[in-house]
Amino acid sequence: MADNAWWASALSEAVNNGKPLAVVCNGEELALFRDRQGQAFALEDRCPHRRVPLSLGCVVESGIQCGYHGWTFDGASGACTAIPNLHANERVPARYAARAYSVAERNGFVHVWLGEDEPNESVPAATYLPEGREYTGAATVSIQHEEYLAAMLDGPHCLISFDAVRMTDFFLGDPCLKDNHLVLDRGAVWSTKVLPPQFVVDYPLIVRTSVPVCGGDIRVDLLTEEETPLCTVFIASGANRRGTTSLCWRGFLHRSEGGVAPLRWRAARRAQRPPFRVHSHVDGEALAALLVAPSRDLDRLRDQSLIPVRAAV
Amino acid sequence: MHTVSTNDTVAGQRSKRPSDWTPVNYDLHDTWFPVSHSRDVSSRPIRRIIHSQPYFLWRENGISQAAEFHPSRLAALRHASSAFTGGSGSYPVIERYGYIWAWYGNPDHADIQLLPHIPFLPLDGNIPGYTQRTVRFDASSALSVENLIDLTHADFLHANTIGDGISESDVVEVEWTSETVTRTRMVTQKSVAPVMRWVGGIRAKYQDFRAVLHIHLRSNVCISYPRFRPGYDVPNLQPFLPVGRHRSRCDVTFNTTAAPSPFRYLMPRINYIIQPQDNSVVRPQNQRYLDESDRRDLHSRFDAPGTRYRYQMEQLAKRQRRGDFSYGTDAEPGRDITTLLGMDG
Ligand code: FES
Ligand SMILES: [Fe+2]
């Protein structure tokens, strides 16, 4: 079910027309690359000739040339367009092809359609509309993908931190379902304030996490108590091998910072220090200590969304 | 998952198709394996592995020994020995061509006649140490042999060392028996390989080249005779020892003793450059050949030697699965291959 979806699988700037980029997205091994015109493509990272990863090859005009015997595969169709040393009158059989995936690039992310059905229009990163300077990165974290999504609701402090901000686990309500995402607010305080969070009457900050019921697009917003956005982070996640999770992210500061932020925050922003950090190492102890709370809704919704599929069988 | 590679089969014919190539699981019995260079075996035992089976090697009064257990424990553990040693704990072993050859299979079938003939190595193994090297492959031995038999990858993977470039004519022939596959390649007027030019001192622009590769299927013993004119002969033995389903080792000998220095010394070491290049592809390949798949490999006509190798291996494996370990009448592993290798031409 989650297979029939667009997955943001890489940052645009990581995909180029020289060396293919190997990624694992929702368990699928892919080789991503661009042609000279900048168009991005995705092929299965497996040469149909002798099963060598195509990402070991190099990008040529019309696609990827495998590094082992030099067969060339077209980026859009996957068709094998050339086998070296064939005579001029010899043709590559039409059925010779690598598996090709539909690609859509939007707002700095390369999306790949993983599924049998015709791709739809709703690309995850379409909702991510950066202003000004962006802070980006990629990592593979040693936590299973569904657990990563659950922890994003139960305890995002294990996975991401905002500069000079302390997140609490006081959930401001229950998760609500919006566009197939569970959205949850929690209170947060400036860590520069002397007063510990338990003595704060009303939290000056909100951390809002939005976690997909299916797919991998996560959004984390830091807001003022008036819901003025300060910082937005879009994290594309997906299952990698051995229960790890691939991540790539982009985030930015909103211009509407206002006068609410403490001096330390504002000074660090002027110095262009990153306003957030997506953890590439997850603290197992902290993770294990997380109580299962709002993520229960995620499990429940996933079970429900499976019903139509089962009924169809 | 939709598969574009081999889905043009009419439904119902599927069962008639040959099964997928899963060489990683082959375990062919009743053959001699060159399990070690002679010079690596002394009175102090070493341990080598064939198909996950331990081979302890050492010398007693200069005579090579091979056993399932360390000699210090042999007496105590003999009762636990396997069918590979017929309950004695000791494998049949023989020393030839600078190698210790150990028998893998039913020890009653061990026969010196089944030892391959290697015309370019001295029977008594008297050859300088610089000709011998050990390399390891992170893949099963059959995939490593496939890599060696395959000619078309040199242009891509080894472009900087033995890369081919353009030639006037390039003819490849394959012949086989139930136990061997032989590939012969004849190239005329090919641009001189970088290693020949820079190290071999060949100043000519073009050279003719004839290379014969003779493969013993059971043991993965690859006997290779490349001849370059102008240039040198680089006869070599590359025996891929099947350590297990995921790893193999190769104790090679490059008999360059007739070539001038420094080529003579450097050529045997070229494996240290070529092997990591080959390993970079066979290593990720291996896990994809463990289980049978519906997605069959695609072939080009350049793969003819390789597909023949696959087919012959499959026939042999089938025969052994039926319990037939005998050598066919067409197979004489020990026959003289001087002419086959083109050494007398
Ligand atoms: S494995 Fe890709 S071209 Fe041969
Ligand atoms: Fe090679």
Side-chain angles (χ1 to χ4, degrees), chain A residues 47 49-50 52 66 68-71:
Chain A
C47 179
H49 178 225
R50 291 293 177 266
V52 164
C66 179
Y68 198 178
H69 308 95
W71 289 24

Short mmCIF file of all heavy atoms in Angstrom, two decimals, chain A residues 47 49-50 52 66 68-71, ligand 1:
data_model
loop_
_atom_site.label_atom_id
_atom_site.label_comp_id
_atom_site.label_asym_id
_atom_site.label_seq_id
_atom_site.Cartn_x
_atom_site.Cartn_y
_atom_site.Cartn_z
N CYS A 47 22.10 -4.05 -12.83
CA CYS A 47 22.21 -4.22 -14.27
C CYS A 47 21.58 -5.56 -14.65
O CYS A 47 21.88 -6.58 -14.05
CB CYS A 47 23.68 -4.20 -14.68
SG CYS A 47 23.91 -4.42 -16.45
N HIS A 49 22.23 -7.33 -17.08
CA HIS A 49 23.19 -8.21 -17.74
C HIS A 49 23.82 -9.18 -16.74
O HIS A 49 23.59 -10.37 -16.80
CB HIS A 49 24.26 -7.37 -18.46
CG HIS A 49 25.32 -8.17 -19.14
ND1 HIS A 49 26.66 -7.86 -19.05
CD2 HIS A 49 25.24 -9.27 -19.92
CE1 HIS A 49 27.35 -8.75 -19.75
NE2 HIS A 49 26.51 -9.61 -20.29
N ARG A 50 24.55 -8.64 -15.75
CA ARG A 50 25.18 -9.50 -14.76
C ARG A 50 24.95 -9.00 -13.32
O ARG A 50 25.74 -9.29 -12.43
CB ARG A 50 26.68 -9.64 -15.04
CG ARG A 50 27.03 -10.44 -16.31
CD ARG A 50 26.67 -11.90 -16.19
NE ARG A 50 26.94 -12.64 -17.41
CZ ARG A 50 26.05 -12.88 -18.37
NH1 ARG A 50 24.82 -12.39 -18.26
NH2 ARG A 50 26.37 -13.58 -19.43
N VAL A 52 25.26 -6.35 -11.62
CA VAL A 52 26.14 -5.43 -10.91
C VAL A 52 25.38 -4.12 -10.67
O VAL A 52 24.57 -3.72 -11.49
CB VAL A 52 27.42 -5.21 -11.77
CG1 VAL A 52 28.21 -4.01 -11.31
CG2 VAL A 52 28.28 -6.46 -11.75
N CYS A 66 26.87 0.95 -17.60
CA CYS A 66 27.29 0.04 -16.54
C CYS A 66 28.81 -0.06 -16.51
O CYS A 66 29.46 -0.08 -17.56
CB CYS A 66 26.67 -1.33 -16.75
SG CYS A 66 27.15 -2.55 -15.52
N TYR A 68 30.68 -2.53 -15.63
CA TYR A 68 31.30 -3.84 -15.81
C TYR A 68 31.57 -4.13 -17.29
O TYR A 68 32.71 -4.37 -17.68
CB TYR A 68 30.40 -4.91 -15.17
CG TYR A 68 31.07 -6.25 -14.90
CD1 TYR A 68 30.37 -7.28 -14.29
CD2 TYR A 68 32.40 -6.48 -15.22
CE1 TYR A 68 30.97 -8.52 -14.03
CE2 TYR A 68 33.01 -7.70 -14.97
CZ TYR A 68 32.28 -8.72 -14.37
OH TYR A 68 32.87 -9.94 -14.12
N HIS A 69 30.52 -4.07 -18.12
CA HIS A 69 30.72 -4.35 -19.55
C HIS A 69 30.27 -3.22 -20.44
O HIS A 69 30.23 -3.36 -21.66
CB HIS A 69 29.97 -5.62 -19.96
CG HIS A 69 30.27 -6.80 -19.10
ND1 HIS A 69 29.48 -7.15 -18.04
CD2 HIS A 69 31.29 -7.69 -19.14
CE1 HIS A 69 30.00 -8.23 -17.45
NE2 HIS A 69 31.09 -8.57 -18.10
N GLY A 70 29.85 -2.13 -19.84
CA GLY A 70 29.56 -0.96 -20.63
C GLY A 70 28.23 -0.93 -21.35
O GLY A 70 28.05 -0.12 -22.26
N TRP A 71 27.29 -1.77 -20.95
CA TRP A 71 25.95 -1.64 -21.54
C TRP A 71 25.37 -0.31 -21.08
O TRP A 71 25.59 0.12 -19.93
CB TRP A 71 25.03 -2.79 -21.08
CG TRP A 71 25.37 -4.13 -21.65
CD1 TRP A 71 26.58 -4.55 -22.12
CD2 TRP A 71 24.47 -5.25 -21.77
NE1 TRP A 71 26.49 -5.86 -22.53
CE2 TRP A 71 25.21 -6.32 -22.33
CE3 TRP A 71 23.12 -5.46 -21.47
CZ2 TRP A 71 24.64 -7.56 -22.59
CZ3 TRP A 71 22.56 -6.70 -21.72
CH2 TRP A 71 23.31 -7.74 -22.28
S1 FES C 1 26.87 -6.26 -15.70
FE1 FES C 1 26.23 -4.38 -16.52
S2 FES C 1 27.00 -4.43 -18.51
FE2 FES C 1 27.51 -6.37 -17.76
#
